Amino acid sequence: MILIYIVIMTMFLSPQAVEPKDVVDFPMAESDISHTPKWLENWWVWIGLAIALILIAYAIPLSHMIHHAPPGSEGFKTWQELKRNVHNGHLINGCLYRIHSDVG
């Protein structure tokens, strides 16, 4: 919201230069193209360099994650497996509670 407020204030409500003395001219930078090598003006050189740098930056972390990956989770246990493993108890929220019938 504050960005919209700033844009609207800048576009419509900010003071503007009315007199020629209030206008500020900013100088443009002059580039000397006579000393620039021709091979630096080719975009494919810069794209190739960017791809090479990305590959160098990500090769070691990605190879480390692939080669030293953890074994993963055990997998899901079905209700049938849990029935076999639980003999005299109840499984509530993943915890085994033993019920004793020592009433008396």
Side-chain angles (χ1 to χ4, degrees), residues 34-45:
S34 63
H35 291 94
T36 304
K38 205 66 167 160
W39 61 273
L40 287 177
E41 295 179 9
N42 189 357
W43 273 101
W44 293 109
V45 172

Side-chain angles (χ1 to χ4, degrees), residues 44-99:
W44 293 109
V45 172
W46 295 108
I47 292 172
L49 181 65
I51 290 172
L53 288 174
I54 290 169
L55 288 175
I56 290 169
Y58 285 104
I60 293 173
L62 285 176
S63 67
H64 186 267
M65 286 191 304
I66 291 170
H67 291 294
H68 303 291
S73 66
E74 298 176 0
F76 294 105
K77 293 186 177 183
T78 62
W79 287 107
Q80 294 298 323
E81 285 183 46
L82 290 175
K83 270 189 191 176
R84 281 189 300 240
N85 294 334
V86 178
H87 296 291
N88 293 328
H90 294 287
L91 191 69
I92 301 171
N93 293 332
C95 297
L96 180 63
Y97 293 98
R98 299 277 181 197
I99 298 176

